[in-house]
Amino acid sequence: MKDNNEPIIKIENIHKRFGKVHALRGVNLQVKKGEVVVIVGPSGSGKSTLLRCINRLEEYTSGKIIVDGIPLDTAQNINLVRQEIGMVFQSFNLFAHLTVLDNLMLAQKIIRKRSPEESRKIAVDLLKKVGIPEKLNAYPAQISGGQQQRVAIARALAMNPRIMLFDEPTSALDPEMIKEVLDVMMQLAKEGMTMVVVSHEMGFARAAAHRIIFMDEGQIIEEAPPEVLFTNPKQERTKRFLSKVLNH
Amino acid sequence: MFGRLQTERPEPPETKVPELENIPEAGIGYHIDAWWWLVALVAGIIAILSITKPDPYWRIVLFVRDGIGITVLITVVSFILMLFVGMLGGLGRISKNKFIHLVTTLYVELVRGIPLLVQLIWWYFAFPVIIKQIGVWTHISFLENYEANAIVLAIFGFVFCYGAYMSEIFRAGIQSIPKGQMEAARSLGMSYFQSMRYVVLPQAIRVILPPVGNEFIALLKDSSLVSAVALADLTRRGREFMAANFDPLQVWTMIALLYLVMTLFSARIVNYIERRTKFER
């Protein structure tokens, strides 16, 4: 058995350059099992890039990432790690040519080699869990953005991931749909899912996060539990950022 | 608590775009079906000419009958094969592997710069010379005695040429699918090829159906070029009939009408498939 305090995600000195832009400048971060980490920061600070490095959707220039003891080096390891990490995108990215049910079943059948009956049952249960059991046979374009995002969460959960990554999951949603998605995320956090969330939803961060990471210009500036970071930030840059997003 | 930032958030862009069919005056749905009357009209003209003046019209139809078969055979077989070539070429054109990318790009650029007629003639007259020469060098009698098969080489020529154009259509179609679709598939642990096979290509195919359908119709017409390489297709059979009877007006009018009914009919089929496979995005 693994030691429980052993971090499930280890990020060591990650650098990322897009041509001349130095997007990540030596980021170190460890996430423990069951921990909910919310990354905040101004746009262009590298938070989405960092998140996308964790399942290697983004290649990094140097540094090391180890997920659940598996280093992200070979193509085989990367696919293995991706199977353990669920990812939710800002633009939902549901498979447009498949029904909601098939969206949830596809990877289960191909990657997990589950029978159609089994994957269907898992899919139906998860759709109940995210609160849209009646949209089984709808196509993504026929349901609202909030519903699409909840289906996307269910699609990721269907693979029984050990970690969930959320890349600004509510930024493309109409205001009245944000809550339904955050509610599902809250529930996941309560169930003990390991989550790394990039979000501008300070309310969610305050209520669900164990730790807030503040990033700016490709670096982690400050990290602390929400009650500390929101009320008593140490760094000047953190204060400036928080004053912009919290006081209005 | 959750909604603190909502008032400041700009409205997300409208995702639902009104579809053309829903704009009442456009009346596209009506016109699409009306085009079937054009197919019927041309077929009717052929029938009336054949019945009222069997000599020469019905004689022409009987004479060129096997030519129609050759034309259809070459078109259909070439088309099916060029779909595979186009798909591989399209995947090659977007490949990150520099060698594959270079080879497919070179192929597309070369083929597009040479007239189709010249390519067909090259395959029929020049290619066998190379094969025979290779046979002489290697002493393989099978290659030394190679006889040019007009149908096979014609199909080869069409697949080679149209495959290049088809590659560009596939490339554009694949690239039109939002990058997030591939990312979502990869994030679930699917390999590049699984993501292509199950997520990207099924969507790309629907995008490229109209241009691919157009290629089929263009190919049907271009197949008349094989009359230059000793293949008895519809055009060549027409020329043979004219040489024997010397009535150019009747023969070439009839040949034109026969091509027309085939292309119009194909266009309707393409249109039908397009509408059946359409989906909302």
Side-chain angles (χ1 to χ4, degrees), chain B residues 206-280:
Chain B
R206 288 163 217 215
V207 176
I208 65 177
L209 244 160
V212 165
N214 286 342
E215 289 295 290
F216 179 84
I217 291 159
L219 174 67
L220 181 59
K221 291 186 288 182
D222 278 350
S223 73
S224 66
L225 291 174
V226 297
S227 59
V229 290
L231 250 183
D233 76 321
L234 178 52
T235 305
R236 180 142 185 140
R237 291 296 280 164
R239 196 180 297 167
E240 285 169 10
F241 188 90
M242 193 190 68
N245 300 275
F246 206 74
D247 36 13
L249 176 65
Q250 289 85 344
V251 173
W252 292 114
T253 305
M254 195 49 150
I255 299 290
L257 286 170
L258 287 172
Y259 272 115
L260 191 57
V261 78
M262 285 195 284
T263 50
L264 288 174
F265 182 76
S266 309
R268 291 305 90 214
I269 298 293
V270 170
N271 187 278
Y272 174 76
I273 297 171
E274 252 169 60
R275 276 185 295 157
R276 282 289 302 270
T277 55
K278 211 163 80 182
F279 71 111
E280 278 184 83

Side-chain angles (χ1 to χ4, degrees), chain A residues 52 94 174 200-201 246, chain B residues 2 4-5 9 12 181 183:
Chain A
R52 289 159 57 84
L94 291 180
D174 287 339
H200 298 292
E201 299 296 335
L246 289 179
Chain B
F2 289 159
R4 287 185 68 160
L5 295 174
R9 188 184 303 278
Q181 295 284 312
E183 286 185 347

Side-chain angles (χ1 to χ4, degrees), chain A residues 167-213:
Chain A
D167 187 5
E168 305 201 20
T170 55
S171 298
L173 290 175
D174 287 339
E176 73 268 25
M177 293 168 183
I178 290 177
K179 187 176 178 300
E180 62 190 48
V181 171
L182 291 180
D183 283 346
V184 171
M185 289 168 62
M186 270 309 272
Q187 196 193 339
L188 269 178
K190 276 187 195 135
E191 288 168 9
M193 175 66 79
T194 309
M195 290 164 65
V196 182
V197 184
V198 170
S199 181
H200 298 292
E201 299 296 335
M202 294 302 153
F204 171 81
R206 203 184 284 256
H210 297 114
R211 195 152 45 114
I212 311 276
I213 312 275

Side-chain angles (χ1 to χ4, degrees), chain B residues 196-209:
Chain B
M196 270 291 166
R197 156 87 178 72
Y198 293 103
V199 175
V200 178
L201 282 177
Q203 296 181 52
I205 296 224
R206 288 163 217 215
V207 176
I208 65 177
L209 244 160

Side-chain angles (χ1 to χ4, degrees), chain B residues 33-209:
Chain B
D33 289 327
W35 287 109
W36 276 108
W37 288 107
L38 193 61
V39 184
L41 180 71
V42 177
I45 292 173
I46 294 173
I48 289 168
L49 286 175
S50 304
I51 292 165
T52 54
K53 286 191 80 179
D55 187 28
Y57 291 112
W58 184 237
R59 275 181 53 222
I60 296 171
V61 172
L62 288 179
F63 188 83
V64 302
R65 208 170 32 177
D66 48 352
I68 297 175
I70 293 283
T71 292
V72 170
L73 176 80
I74 287 179
T75 305
V76 170
V77 173
S78 303
F79 181 71
I80 292 168
L81 293 175
M82 73 182 58
L83 285 178
F84 288 101
V85 173
M87 193 171 79
L88 293 178
L91 288 173
R93 289 274 281 147
I94 57 166
S95 172
K96 274 188 189 162
N97 183 316
K98 287 212 174 80
F99 179 74
I100 296 174
H101 179 83
L102 182 75
V103 169
T104 43
T105 305
L106 212 59
Y107 160 62
V108 170
E109 292 302 325
L110 285 185
V111 165
R112 290 202 300 187
I114 304 170
L116 175 56
L117 182 57
V118 174
Q119 289 189 42
L120 288 173
I121 292 172
W122 192 90
W123 283 110
Y124 184 68
F125 293 105
F127 180 66
V129 177
I130 296 175
I131 295 286
K132 277 181 195 158
Q133 193 57 52
I134 290 173
V136 171
W137 285 336
T138 57
H139 304 291
I140 300 171
S141 59
F142 165 72
L143 294 179
E144 259 178 280
N145 304 324
Y146 179 75
E147 282 290 328
N149 180 321
I151 290 195
V152 170
L153 287 178
I155 289 173
F156 209 98
F158 279 124
V159 172
F160 198 78
C161 177
Y162 268 77
Y165 293 93
M166 209 65 109
S167 298
E168 284 302 272
I169 294 173
F170 268 88
R171 180 190 58 76
I174 292 169
Q175 285 178 334
S176 78
I177 304 303
K179 205 167 154 246
Q181 295 284 312
M182 179 56 115
E183 286 185 347
R186 298 306 299 275
S187 79
L188 288 165
M190 291 190 217
S191 67
Y192 177 80
F193 284 102
Q194 284 170 331
S195 309
M196 270 291 166
R197 156 87 178 72
Y198 293 103
V199 175
V200 178
L201 282 177
Q203 296 181 52
I205 296 224
R206 288 163 217 215
V207 176
I208 65 177
L209 244 160

